[in-house]
Amino acid sequence: MIFEKPAPIRDGFGNALLELGEKDPRVVVLTADLSEAIRVHWFAEKFPHRFFQMGIAESDMVGTAAGLAVAGKIPFVTTFAAFATSLANTPVRVSVAYNQANVKIATSHGGVCVGGDGATHQSIEDIALMRVLPGMTIVVPCDANEAYRATLAAAEYEGPLYLRLGRIATPILTKAHTPFKIGKAQVLAQGNDLAIIACGAMVGFALEAAQLLDKKGLRVRVINMHTVKPLDHSAVLKAAQECGALVTMEEHSIIGGLGSAVTELVAEKYPVPVERVGIRDVFGESGEPHEILEKYGLTTKDLVKACKRALKRKEPK
Amino acid sequence: MVQTAESVKLDIDHIKEMATQIRRDVIRMIAGVGSGHPGGALGAAEIFALLYGGVLRVDPRKLKDPHRDRFVLSNGHICAAFYSALSLKGFLPREELNTFRRINSRLQGHPARVKLPDLVETSSGPLGQGFSVANGIALALKLDGSRGRVYSLVGDGEIQEGQVWEALMTAAQHRLGNLTLIVSYNGLQIDGEVRKIKNLMPLKAKFESFGWECVETDGHDVVALYQALTEPAGGNPMSTDKPRAILAHTVMGKGVPFMENKAVWHGTCPTPAQAEEALLAIGKAKGFEDYPALSNPDLSTRKGGKR
């Protein structure tokens, strides 16, 4: 499965599930009345006996998935990010994470790009909520191709895993043959003046910012940190050592997400200036995705500004 | 039909004595460590004695048998009785009960799957969680064509949790005829009487209106309870598509007169003198022994679990 044109990240997920359905009879899918929104309706049509419609009952869905996992299945539970991680937080904590149950929590609508639905449906804290749970792996693909490969990798991985899928169509940044390994970041652009570490739909902005800065003679490294936990320590520390300053960008609160993870690591191991681009401790609102991104400071322009601040703080070599 | 020991083919005396030993263990474990939840555990002694003494098709030598029955304890705080039953049937060393609630023990204050992956189907403690997991196991067993049946135990106070009602709908919707939910129905919760705090009645009618088969029974009458656990209400074979609930009327603190029907004993540890008095009231169990002092030092320091 290869996407050539911009496609919703969740389309990669839905297609990967179809392949997994054929390949592995242990794979089962659960949804809470959102089968089409997260593209599991294709799996449902093809594998009706391994698809469980759980109704509007996210907590029970997550608990049920834990039971399926305990009994040897590989369940994917699917709903919006806000509902899986916040509404169903206790079953995720106790029945999935504490049990080390082999449940894949796959969510759409992570971030603010849900458009008109507004703050209740914009999950700006899901990565933070999952990151504090011991043993939880967090994967945030940047395009439909990566979502496809990440979904296959998630099924192979043994243990609780949170797969965050954005809502909007994103440019295709990775190819079918781009290697994908959970926990291993990809360097999409080389450079030693500064490093941008981004995840999800923000990776495209990072590449744009790097191109803009390149015109000013600055070589910026772009790291696609598709796995927020476990964080690729060596990629971050290498960037800190070789570039001397870091900028993070995520469609998430700057508290508790990728920016926090990177900052915590470099503060302990190799302190360098870090600028974090993300939602600044506020709830979102209704609007077109591009309007929201603009208002809340998640554009290429905002990222370039942050890069300039980071460069200014960087100690001369 | 008159229910007699003969008609249910069960060693009634053995089950009764086992329940007595569970009660002794519960008191000794909790008093020994100085904390725990005696009330519900004492009240569920017959339930555990029956499950592990005759109902569950489980074998400590065949822990991976795909056709084994599964037990999911949803009201995890009463786990002293669960651990006791496991130890009495060869799933745990008897002396390991000494480690209950202590550092490095596999016998956590609330059951932990990571510590006992072959015996604890799911960690439980926050109420309302285990029941959903039991549904998931039952779904998986149906997919796999397993002959195993899933039994889950909840407390009546626990039913106030919203997730329980979600799970009730799930079990009916997905026709989990291979699931039995046992309610330890003692009418009490930490802050007092269930009916005064958030009333559940009429509980049987609620289960039935949710598409369940439901029977009420005395949770201390081992013959009646065995009948309820092994035969559906209408006398139908167990192949029914309906999940089955057993409202087992129990007495919190049963067997220890000063604890009976007193909500304070939900989570209060008896003093050494009270523990002595409790053990006297419970009496000795014929054919069983109290668990011995810890002689295997490995048990007190073991990390437990595979991962």
Side-chain angles (χ1 to χ4, degrees):
Chain A
M1 181 79 212
I2 305 161
F3 293 89
E4 307 283 356
K5 288 187 212 147
I9 289 174
R10 54 197 163 137
D11 283 9
F13 170 68
N15 279 290
L17 282 186
L18 278 182
E19 186 175 321
L20 284 170
E22 295 281 0
K23 225 167 65 175
D24 193 335
R26 294 173 301 166
V27 171
V28 297
V29 176
L30 300 87
T31 196
D33 201 30
L34 288 168
S35 54
E36 200 173 329
I38 187 159
R39 302 293 191 266
V40 295
H41 56 308
W42 302 323
F43 183 95
E45 280 164 24
K46 202 136 182 230
F47 308 101
H49 297 298
R50 285 190 274 148
F51 173 78
F52 302 109
Q53 174 58 264
M54 301 300 291
I56 307 164
E58 292 79 7
S59 297
D60 178 54
M61 170 173 70
V62 172
T64 304
L68 283 157
V70 158
K73 304 297 171 196
I74 304 175
F76 281 79
V77 295
T78 61
T79 180
F80 291 170
F83 305 157
T85 62
S86 184
L87 198 157
N89 192 268
T90 296
V92 171
R93 174 176 176 263
V94 177
S95 303
V96 176
Y98 184 40
N99 274 344
Q100 294 176 353
N102 194 18
V103 174
K104 316 304 165 187
I105 302 160
T107 68
S108 70
H109 294 53
V112 287
C113 288
V114 306
D117 281 350
T120 55
H121 286 50
Q122 293 166 324
S123 186
I124 55 168
E125 71 288 307
D126 55 320
I127 296 175
L129 289 168
M130 294 299 98
R131 201 163 74 85
V132 290
L133 295 176
M136 182 65 75
T137 290
I138 302 170
V139 177
V140 189
C142 69
D143 66 13
N145 282 333
E146 190 167 76
Y148 178 78
R149 291 193 308 282
T151 305
L152 300 182
E156 268 186 31
Y157 172 83
E158 170 80 28
L161 185 142
Y162 179 63
L163 183 63
R164 186 204 217 211
L165 309 162
R167 180 166 187 274
I168 49 166
T170 49
I172 295 302
L173 307 171
T174 67
K175 304 222 160 42
H177 58 265
T178 309
F180 181 87
K181 193 163 176 270
I182 290 169
K184 184 95 181 83
Q186 294 156 359
V187 177
L188 297 182
Q190 298 292 344
N192 280 347
D193 292 325
L194 179 77
I196 301 172
I197 302 174
C199 64
M202 301 297 103
V203 174
F205 298 155
L207 285 168
E208 278 177 18
Q211 280 159 16
L212 289 173
L213 291 164
D214 188 73
K215 286 176 189 153
K216 299 193 171 160
L218 292 160
R219 303 290 171 263
V220 176
R221 184 178 303 185
V222 175
I223 298 174
N224 171 22
M225 193 60 77
H226 52 68
T227 306
V228 177
K229 186 184 175 185
L231 190 71
D232 185 341
H233 285 201
S234 72
V236 173
L237 293 174
K238 195 161 180 267
Q241 285 155 11
E242 293 173 0
C243 306
L246 307 174
V247 178
T248 63
M249 190 177 195
E250 62 201 305
E251 195 188 344
H252 185 271
S253 171
I254 55 166
I255 301 171
L258 175 64
S260 289
V262 167
T263 309
E264 288 158 15
L265 177 67
V266 296
E268 279 186 358
K269 303 283 183 194
Y270 196 88
V272 293
V274 181
E275 292 285 330
R276 291 172 298 161
V277 179
I279 306 292
R280 305 199 76 81
D281 201 19
V282 288
F283 283 106
E285 65 180 84
S286 294
E288 290 301 322
H290 73 272
E291 294 173 323
I292 296 168
L293 292 174
E294 209 161 291
K295 180 163 178 179
Y296 291 87
L298 289 172
T299 64
T300 303
K301 217 169 92 185
D302 296 301
L303 178 56
V304 168
K305 278 191 205 160
C307 288
K308 288 179 177 165
R309 288 197 302 272
L311 283 164
K312 233 182 235 173
R313 291 170 55 198
K314 195 173 144 177
E315 280 180 36
K317 274 186 183 165
Chain B
M1 186 180 109
V2 180
Q3 292 166 2
T4 64
E6 289 74 36
S7 71
V8 296
K9 295 185 189 114
L10 185 73
D11 187 343
I12 301 296
D13 289 337
H14 175 79
I15 298 297
K16 284 180 179 168
E17 296 299 329
M18 184 174 167
T20 298
Q21 189 58 51
I22 290 173
R23 291 197 167 91
R24 293 187 65 83
D25 288 351
V26 163
I27 293 295
R28 292 184 67 228
M29 288 164 76
I30 292 170
V33 68
S35 70
H37 298 83
L42 292 170
E46 279 80 12
I47 294 172
F48 280 104
L50 268 172
L51 283 172
Y52 282 91
V55 173
L56 292 176
R57 289 165 298 175
V58 288
D59 183 337
R61 293 158 303 177
K62 294 183 197 161
L63 293 171
K64 307 281 187 200
D65 179 1
H67 295 293
R68 72 191 188 279
D69 289 337
R70 269 60 161 197
F71 173 66
V72 175
L73 180 63
S74 197
N75 51 340
H77 60 275
I78 70 163
C79 59
F82 176 40
Y83 298 144
S84 163
L86 287 172
S87 74
L88 289 168
K89 287 295 163 185
F91 293 90
L92 289 174
R94 285 286 285 155
E95 62 176 279
E96 191 167 356
L97 299 185
N98 288 291
T99 72
F100 178 54
R101 282 181 164 247
R102 295 186 192 275
I103 195 76
N104 293 332
S105 175
R106 299 194 296 178
L107 311 186
Q108 293 290 294
H110 292 85
R113 177 169 170 78
V114 283
K115 303 280 186 183
L116 287 168
D118 292 327
L119 301 175
V120 173
E121 298 289 342
T122 186
S123 308
S124 58
L127 297 174
Q129 302 300 312
F131 179 11
S132 294
V133 178
N135 279 343
I137 296 171
L139 268 180
L141 295 190
K142 273 186 78 171
L143 275 180
D144 290 342
S146 166
R147 293 189 297 275
R149 192 172 177 81
V150 182
Y151 295 82
S152 184
L153 178 60
V154 297
D156 54 346
E158 177 172 12
I159 294 176
Q160 290 165 350
E161 286 284 0
Q163 195 177 322
V164 168
W165 299 94
E166 297 180 0
L168 282 170
M169 287 186 274
T170 294
Q173 185 76 34
H174 292 276
R175 302 175 176 279
L176 300 181
N178 57 346
L179 176 82
T180 298
L181 184 75
I182 308 160
V183 181
S184 177
Y185 200 0
N186 64 25
L188 294 176
Q189 56 191 109
I190 297 176
D191 277 352
E193 290 179 59
V194 173
R195 66 186 175 90
K196 287 185 184 166
I197 290 170
K198 196 185 276 287
N199 185 26
L200 298 170
M201 288 186 272
L203 192 53
K204 185 165 184 274
K206 284 184 172 123
F207 273 96
E208 285 166 349
S209 71
F210 271 63
W212 282 61
E213 239 181 46
C214 185
V215 291
E216 277 191 276
T217 184
D218 180 337
H220 302 301
D221 178 338
V222 295
V223 175
L225 188 56
Y226 181 76
Q227 205 93 27
L229 281 164
T230 50
E231 280 179 26
N236 297 322
M238 297 296 270
S239 60
T240 169
D241 272 354
K242 275 189 176 184
R244 183 167 162 73
I246 296 170
L247 305 186
H249 288 271
T250 54
V251 172
M252 184 185 276
K254 176 77 175 176
V256 179
F258 68 88
M259 290 185 177
E260 284 184 2
N261 276 318
K262 295 205 175 72
V264 65
W265 290 104
H266 162 88
T268 305
C269 175
T271 63
Q274 285 172 327
E276 278 304 312
E277 188 185 339
L279 290 172
L280 268 179
I282 293 165
K284 290 269 186 198
K286 222 173 105 190
F288 291 91
E289 298 281 338
D290 282 345
Y291 60 86
L294 204 58
S295 63
N296 178 358
D298 192 39
L299 284 176
S300 61
T301 54
R302 72 195 303 169
K303 295 286 189 276
K306 272 183 284 187
R307 294 187 289 189

